[in-house]
Amino acid sequence: MVLLHVSRATEEFIVEAPTTTSIDTLTRTIAAIHNKRLRTKRLTAQVRELAKYGPMKPEEERGLSDEQLNALGSEVKEVAGADPLGVRVGEAPNERLQAVLVRVCDEAEAAVSVEHAKARRVLPVALVDACLDNLRGAVTMAYPMQLPEHDAVRAILEQREELSQHEDGKLQVDEASAVVWFAGKQLDRSQPLSKYVGSNDKVTVRVKLEAAGAGAPSREPAVDADTQRRVMALWHKKEAEAKALAEASDDAYLNSEWANPKGFKQAMHGLSGISYAPGRR
């Protein structure tokens, strides 16, 4: 299997495919995994809030204090676990269900983490689907009568969320029109993968996922961030050494041990390295 290290903005993951796979099928798979990873992250963020503060308020009541809501005619009683942002009602599920929701969120976030790409682990689309199913099951367990239609968790699960004001709206791609770039070239959907990577299945390539019409992506930096930090640290060290040498006087070397005219004699008599200060050799 060919390993493809996919990146888009700060998102990274690895997929595998045989060289006979068509670019169209491969692009659709990559785009599906990318979109589902983003959806999983959005869902876990909202489910964590659901576990802490319960369902969302209607849109017209979000962000308003209890005093403001009472002034509008809504009878609101003070809740012990009220949402400080005023987005959710403040009535969280019981502790057992809270623990289930948090655990499922932790597992889902770990499954779609970018750390898997750094460790060169493949992310199958089935694993992302399983994460979404587990989150759906946990929410259904906590709220068997369903959440209100205006709740973000329900909107994400039913795939009817509005992303025009969300950062993911710019990152999400259309599976039918998305494009994959490799080595500065846009992969032709009508061709097999072997046209670009050859017939060797034991290779790893870096590709970039882009929306249709977005143009060529920026090139990868010549060195990674860790190498660049080490190079800069070495450069600053050399600069400090050069500055110290420039400020040193011309006869500063006379204070060095190798410049001592009696050094050879003292070494022959075993007297080198001796200090006459009390308590020191």
Side-chain angles (χ1 to χ4, degrees):
M1 290 288 193
V2 176
L3 295 183
L4 297 103
H5 188 131
V6 184
S7 61
R8 175 164 171 77
T10 59
E11 301 296 327
E12 295 181 47
F13 57 93
I14 292 180
V15 298
E16 62 180 3
T19 56
T20 55
T21 305
S22 70
I23 298 300
D24 180 68
T25 302
L26 180 62
T27 302
R28 289 177 182 273
T29 301
I30 290 175
I33 294 175
H34 171 72
N35 291 340
K36 288 178 180 180
R37 285 183 73 252
L38 296 178
R39 185 177 164 214
T40 300
K41 291 183 178 182
R42 294 194 303 273
L43 184 56
T44 54
Q46 291 295 338
V47 170
R48 288 187 187 280
E49 294 298 303
L50 177 68
K52 289 191 290 186
Y53 305 117
M56 271 187 170
K57 297 177 181 178
E59 189 171 358
E60 63 274 10
E61 296 182 4
R62 294 173 196 168
L64 300 180
S65 65
D66 293 347
E67 293 78 8
Q68 291 172 318
L69 291 174
N70 288 327
L72 292 173
S74 301
E75 295 185 4
V76 180
K77 59 182 180 180
E78 186 174 347
V79 182
D83 183 358
L85 299 179
V87 175
R88 296 184 175 273
V89 298
E91 298 176 359
N94 61 54
E95 292 184 1
R96 183 180 66 83
L97 292 174
Q98 285 185 41
V100 171
L101 292 171
V102 171
R103 176 179 57 79
V104 174
C105 286
D106 290 340
E107 292 174 353
E109 288 178 348
V112 301
S113 172
V114 72
E115 296 301 321
H116 292 295
K118 297 178 181 178
R120 300 186 65 182
R121 287 192 289 266
V122 176
L123 178 63
V125 66
L127 177 59
V128 188
D129 287 335
C131 292
L132 291 170
D133 289 341
N134 291 340
L135 287 164
R136 184 191 304 275
V139 171
T140 302
M141 183 187 301
Y143 295 91
M145 301 301 292
Q146 287 197 330
L147 293 166
E149 288 192 5
H150 54 259
D151 195 288
V153 172
R154 181 172 175 180
I156 295 173
L157 290 173
E158 295 178 355
Q159 300 188 54
R160 54 177 178 81
E161 55 185 326
E162 177 57 51
L163 295 176
S164 59
Q165 303 298 321
H166 197 284
E167 183 182 2
D168 284 0
K170 299 178 180 179
L171 294 178
Q172 193 160 277
V173 296
D174 179 46
E175 296 179 19
S177 61
V179 293
V180 174
W181 290 76
F182 168 60
K185 297 180 181 179
Q186 179 178 326
L187 305 191
D188 186 351
R189 278 181 173 249
S190 64
Q191 299 296 327
L193 179 60
S194 58
K195 177 180 178 180
Y196 301 96
V197 301
S199 58
N200 184 8
D201 272 345
K202 306 296 183 181
V203 296
T204 301
V205 296
R206 297 185 69 93
V207 299
K208 290 198 172 185
L209 178 66
E210 294 291 334
S218 58
R219 290 185 176 273
E220 293 286 338
V223 295
D224 57 33
D226 184 55
T227 302
Q228 188 173 10
R229 280 195 297 270
R230 287 190 277 112
V231 170
M232 291 302 297
L234 179 61
W235 181 80
H236 285 297
K237 180 181 178 182
K238 294 295 185 182
E239 283 287 298
E241 291 175 354
K243 183 178 179 181
L245 287 173
E247 294 175 350
S249 59
D250 292 339
D251 58 352
Y253 72 92
L254 295 175
N255 296 323
S256 302
E257 184 178 353
W258 58 265
N260 183 6
K262 298 181 179 180
F264 180 74
K265 180 180 179 180
Q266 291 175 348
M268 294 300 293
H269 288 83
L271 300 176
S272 60
I274 296 178
S275 174
Y276 294 98
R280 296 177 56 190
R281 291 188 62 232

